Structure formats: C-alpha cells, structure tokens
Amino acid sequence: MAISVENFFLDPRSQATLQSRIQQMIAQGILSGRFRAGEKLPSSRKLAAHLGVSRITVTLAYTELVASDYLTARGRSGYYVSENAPEPLPAATPRPQEDRIDWMRAIGQRFTGGATPEKPLDWARYRYPFIYGQTDASLFDHANWRLCALQALGQKDFAALTSDQYDQDDPQLVEFIARHTLPRRGIIAEPSQILVTMGAQNALWLAAQVLLTQRRRAAIEDPCYPALRDVLTQSRCHLSPVPVDSDGLPPDLIPDGTDVIFTTPSHQSPTSATMPLARRHALLERAREMEALIVEDDYEFEMAFLRKPSPALKSLDEDGRVIYVGSFSKSLFPGLRLGYLVGSAPFIREARALRASVLRHPPGLMQRAAAYFLSLGHYDALIRRTARVYAERRRVMEQAMADHGLTIAGRGAHGGSSFWMAAPEGVDTGVLATRLRDRDVLIEAGRPFFARDAPPRNFYRLAYSSIPSERIPEGVARIARTIGGV
C-alpha cells in the first residue's frame, strides 16, 4: 500500500532547510511506525506539489534517505521504505515515576545557589540588550567560519575529527597559540606549557583544582567575575576578597599566607580598571614575598581598540609563578567554548591529567575549525572589524550617558565591551533591572559581582557588544528615566 501524501506536514517552527525538514519528517515517520518496511512513498512530483516545494528538493531528500538506508529506490517504480530501515521504537505507556529518595540527605555536595547570575536566553528579543558576552550576528564572519568548519570535516582532517586524542590537543591550534597569540602579549611558551580548555571558566576551574586545597588560601578581587567565586567556593579553600580601586587589585591588601592570587590586571572584571605597570611589578614582588602563585585572567585583551594594551602580567614574570588564562570564546563566540591555560610544564602536566579524567579533551572538530579560522587570517580580520564597530558604539554610548546624566564608575582605558556604572545611592539595581525588562531593556545588576557581606546595590554593568549604535541613545534614555522613577 502506498503512503498517502496527506501523511506529510512540514514543521513550520523548524529553522532547518526544506531538504533537511523533509528528511526528518520521513525518518520520524519510519521510526514511529507510521511508515512501514516495503511501503511506497509518494512520487517526488506529488510530494513536492503537496508541500509547495520544488521537485528537486524532494528528490535530494529522498536520495539522502536512500544513502542512509531509510529508503530504497526501485528503478522506475519509485521510492519505498527500506527493509533495512530502523525498526520502530516500541510504544511505551508513560507513567509518572514516584521519587522516594530523600535528596536533601543523598546529595553530598551542593553546587546550586552560587553567585553566578542567570542571564536571559532570549536576550536577542529585547530591543535594548545592554548584555555582556553575547555574539552580535551582524559582526561575525559566518561565511568563512562555515568554510573552515567544512575544511575541518574533510578527509584530510579525519583523524583530528574522529580520533580519541586522550589528553592531547590539536597541534595546529596549539601552534597558533604559541607562535601568534601569546607573543602578542609578550609571552613565550612551548607546546608543553599550553593546555586547551573548554573556555576560560574551565581553565580557572582546572587551576583552582590543581593549586588549592581546603588548607590553602586564595585571594580574589572584589568585585570580581561571579563564576570564579563559585569555583573557589566549591574548592572549599579559604577565600579572601580584596577590594579593588581605580587601578585594580592593590598588592598591599593581599593578606599574608595567601597561596594563589586570582586577578584580571588588563581589564578588571567588572570595573574595567587597568592595572598600571608599576603596580604589576609590585604585585609580582608581593607574590614573591609570600611564595604565592598568580592566576592571570586576560579575558578581553583583543578588545583594546583605544590604545595598545598593557603588557600581560605573565610577560613580566621572571619566576614562572604566573599562570595565564586566555579565551577565544569572548572574541569569536561564547558557544565555541575554547580557551587555554599557559604555565610551567609541571603545572600543565597536572592540569592535563585532571582534564583527561573529566572530559579527556575539547572536541577535535571545534579545535581544528578554530585553528583554520585563526591561521587563515579570518580571526584577525574579525577582531579589526569588531574593534571599529565597538569604538563607534562606545562613542555613542558615552555621549548618550553624558546627555542623560548617568554616572560611569569604570570605563576601561584600552577599550573593552562594557561600562561599569553607578546609580544614585539608594537605587537597588536588581529592582531597576526587573523594571527595565518590562521596558524592553536589559542591564546587569552589580550585586552578584561583590563578595562582601553588605555589598553596594547601586552598581550595574552596561555592555555595547550586542546592541547596534542606532538603538543605544533610546536605550540609555529609558534607563535614565527608570532610575529617576525608582
């Protein structure tokens, strides 16, 4: 019996190509048992007319399904469900599962309730998203990234794509980091001193796990990147928040007995302060006195479009005590999840072993695609284009904030992608952020960045990475009007 064309309906919500949607529709029909082995499918002409698509689209979909053995072609007779097609899944009668476990007692360690704030996944639907760390699709080089991904999928790179590298990284990506990225920060490193990670946050976690115990002490900046504070809290080390000033982390406030210092000297997160050269040397000397290690998170150095970035702290290190954290997720796109650790070989060896026990290595396809994108010059072109756009957005935002009397608490001497803002005393920016959402505006409240017991509630962050210049003035105006009404 032939399958009726009325059995075919394309999902209007799908964003896949028409060919892919037709393939998926037929495959799901076979897997659900609606289309059985040996049944004849409608002709490509009839199905195309029924779906309102071109005949070649249906033919290509049929051809792919034949290649994957879902269908078989019988000369001029047409297409049939293959005898070798996957068996339909047995129908199951769903029933509610009773959970008799006392999870309050069963869970040995809790990771919920940390400092890291939740960010809206639907941020792009807001007209004025002053949200940090998201990709602007209008700036990203989709065409060349697609070509690099296709190149990484080729036969030449089959081993890099499919092999279990155990604890090793893509040599092409490591070579680019060692010979191109790090020298731009004044850092010289061998491949044995570099470890690819699943983003900067994974790099910070690896560093914390390797370097800290319940008996050791870590110093962090206050305010700081909330996810770092969560990582260190979970490590159960002793934690010392150190208030930052306009020059970043003050070395003389780091308590005696500190074992590891976490810092963002080039672009303090979130205040955007840049640590002067003299203070960088003082920080290295303070660490030397205490025999402490330093973890330097250089998360946004590529966005130095106002002036040349300051030397990385690690480039000034003469003892090997600085561990450097970098990321491609910030400068390419956050979903890439690729970062790297740079440190002395004994440290990298331990971090590599820990990574191998948890996730072995980041996906080979993403590493090789990124290696091509970087080495073929597309990355540098993207950075230059992004820097020009960010510079213009920054100019427009500074003018808009001046026009509406908003106070900038930190703006970053070299550029970046955000401003650290201060609302008037008495304004709770958590409440402000909630009210602004109803007015199509997204901001980040400052409270989660602070570790102190009674943190200030009037700080907030405004990013310009994900909002076009023409929308900035009205977005800033709405913020100003809402602050006036809080």
Side-chain angles (χ1 to χ4, degrees), residues 417-477:
S417 61
S418 64
F419 291 98
W420 183 240
M421 307 292 296
E425 290 290 338
V427 172
D428 186 329
T429 55
V431 175
L432 175 67
T434 300
R435 293 186 180 179
L436 283 170
R437 277 200 188 194
D438 295 334
R439 294 166 188 175
D440 223 11
V441 181
L442 289 179
I443 69 168
E444 289 183 90
R447 167 66 185 86
F449 294 95
F450 290 92
R452 61 195 73 165
D453 292 334
R457 296 184 176 272
N458 62 315
F459 288 97
Y460 61 108
R461 181 164 66 174
L462 295 183
Y464 44 85
S465 53
S466 305
I467 181 171
S469 295
E470 60 270 18
R471 295 185 195 172
I472 289 174
E474 174 58 23
V476 170

Side-chain angles (χ1 to χ4, degrees), residues 383-402:
I383 293 299
R384 289 194 296 271
R385 181 167 62 254
T386 301
R388 288 195 297 271
V389 173
Y390 279 14
E392 173 61 15
R393 291 179 182 178
R394 182 186 178 92
R395 183 193 66 78
V396 172
M397 187 176 285
E398 284 188 304
Q399 184 60 55
M401 291 189 292

Side-chain angles (χ1 to χ4, degrees), residues 330-372:
K330 287 285 187 294
S331 47
L332 277 173
F333 53 92
L336 180 66
R337 307 314 312 145
L338 278 184
Y340 48 94
L341 271 171
V342 183
S344 297
F347 165 78
I348 293 296
R349 183 167 55 248
E350 296 303 321
R352 187 181 301 278
L354 174 60
R355 188 195 67 176
S357 70
V358 176
L359 53 84
R360 299 182 86 80
H361 58 78
L365 171 61
M366 298 305 289
Q367 290 196 60
R368 182 55 57 92
Y372 281 135

Side-chain angles (χ1 to χ4, degrees), residues 126-431:
Y126 290 83
R127 186 159 180 79
Y128 309 101
F130 295 101
I131 197 78
Y132 180 82
Q134 293 294 346
T135 301
D136 187 336
S138 67
L139 298 179
F140 186 66
D141 188 353
H142 295 86
N144 280 317
W145 176 262
R146 186 181 302 111
L147 290 173
C148 291
L150 287 173
Q151 188 173 353
L153 285 167
Q155 184 65 36
K156 174 174 173 283
D157 296 292
F158 185 76
L161 169 65
T162 61
S163 298
D164 182 357
Q165 305 289 348
Y166 185 54
D167 64 350
Q168 296 302 301
D169 296 313
D170 188 297
Q172 292 188 30
L173 180 58
V174 172
E175 179 72 13
F176 185 89
I177 293 170
R179 307 294 172 236
H180 182 85
T181 304
L182 294 179
R184 292 168 65 176
R185 302 298 290 130
I187 301 169
I188 304 300
E190 295 300 319
S192 63
Q193 298 172 309
I194 300 170
L195 181 71
V196 177
T197 64
M198 297 286 281
Q201 188 165 326
N202 177 232
L204 293 169
W205 180 84
L206 287 168
Q209 292 297 310
V210 171
L211 301 177
L212 292 168
T213 68
Q214 296 182 40
R215 294 183 297 276
R216 294 185 178 180
R217 179 171 298 279
I220 59 170
E221 299 165 336
D222 190 33
C224 77
Y225 176 44
L228 170 62
R229 198 159 72 250
D230 284 347
V231 163
L232 296 177
T233 299
Q234 292 160 9
S235 76
R236 301 183 179 181
C237 69
H238 299 283
L239 198 56
S240 297
V242 180
V244 302
D245 58 24
S246 59
D247 289 334
L249 179 69
D252 57 329
L253 295 186
I254 299 172
D256 294 336
T258 296
D259 298 288
V260 185
I261 302 163
F262 290 83
T263 182
T264 51
S266 294
H267 203 83
Q268 202 279 326
S269 175
T271 69
S272 300
T274 297
M275 187 180 291
L277 187 59
R279 179 172 284 193
R280 293 178 189 231
H281 284 293
L283 177 58
L284 288 168
E285 181 58 35
R286 175 67 173 145
R288 187 179 297 116
E289 291 172 359
M290 295 187 294
E291 297 186 348
L293 298 173
I294 299 173
V295 177
E296 175 186 15
D297 184 357
D298 203 17
Y299 69 100
E300 211 171 41
F301 86 88
E302 297 281 21
M303 291 297 105
F305 51 80
L306 295 179
R307 65 184 73 166
K308 187 177 179 180
S310 302
L313 193 65
K314 184 159 184 61
S315 71
L316 308 174
D317 175 26
E318 297 178 352
D319 302 334
R321 71 177 62 255
V322 177
I323 293 162
Y324 182 87
V325 174
S327 175
F328 294 118
S329 297
K330 287 285 187 294
S331 47
L332 277 173
F333 53 92
L336 180 66
R337 307 314 312 145
L338 278 184
Y340 48 94
L341 271 171
V342 183
S344 297
F347 165 78
I348 293 296
R349 183 167 55 248
E350 296 303 321
R352 187 181 301 278
L354 174 60
R355 188 195 67 176
S357 70
V358 176
L359 53 84
R360 299 182 86 80
H361 58 78
L365 171 61
M366 298 305 289
Q367 290 196 60
R368 182 55 57 92
Y372 281 135
F373 194 80
L374 296 165
S375 62
L376 292 173
H378 304 313
Y379 178 73
D380 287 335
L382 173 64
I383 293 299
R384 289 194 296 271
R385 181 167 62 254
T386 301
R388 288 195 297 271
V389 173
Y390 279 14
E392 173 61 15
R393 291 179 182 178
R394 182 186 178 92
R395 183 193 66 78
V396 172
M397 187 176 285
E398 284 188 304
Q399 184 60 55
M401 291 189 292
D403 291 344
H404 292 281
L406 297 185
T407 302
I408 300 174
R411 67 182 72 219
H414 302 92
S417 61
S418 64
F419 291 98
W420 183 240
M421 307 292 296
E425 290 290 338
V427 172
D428 186 329
T429 55
V431 175

